[in-house]
């Protein structure tokens, strides 16, 4: 079952264990691994995604 990543702990766990995620934004989808994150953005595949404007799901 897929899990929606919402908390800082979720992002930290998926980044540390290099678990793949799916980012949904503006009807687009990107798959990859989190390389960094903060309270406002998440970096996946070299691209930054706003935490408030995107959905992040486990793959």
């Amino acid at each position: 079952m897929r899990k929606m990543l919402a908390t800082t702990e979720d992002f930290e766990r998926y980044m540390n264990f290099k678990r793949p995620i799916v980012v949904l934004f503006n009807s687009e989808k990107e798959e990859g691994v989190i390389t960094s994150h903060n309270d406002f953005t998440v970096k996946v595949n070299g691209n930054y995604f706003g935490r408030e404007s995107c959905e992040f799901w486990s793959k």
Side-chain angles (χ1 to χ4, degrees), residues 2-59:
R2 288 180 155 189
K3 173 184 169 41
M4 184 173 187
L5 284 67
T7 66
T8 298
E9 291 80 15
D10 290 338
F11 292 107
E12 191 69 19
R13 183 173 45 256
Y14 276 76
M15 181 180 74
N16 287 336
F17 291 104
K18 297 182 181 7
R19 294 179 180 166
I21 67 163
V22 175
V23 182
L24 301 176
F25 63 100
N26 296 334
S27 303
E28 300 287 326
K29 179 171 91 169
E30 178 143 353
E31 299 179 17
V33 176
I34 298 171
T35 54
S36 68
H37 69 92
N38 60 36
D39 291 339
F40 306 104
T41 61
V42 178
K43 186 176 181 183
V44 177
N45 297 338
N47 299 312
Y48 290 90
F49 299 96
R51 284 178 61 166
E52 294 295 321
S53 59
C54 299
E55 292 183 6
F56 303 89
W57 292 86
S58 63
K59 181 163 182 210

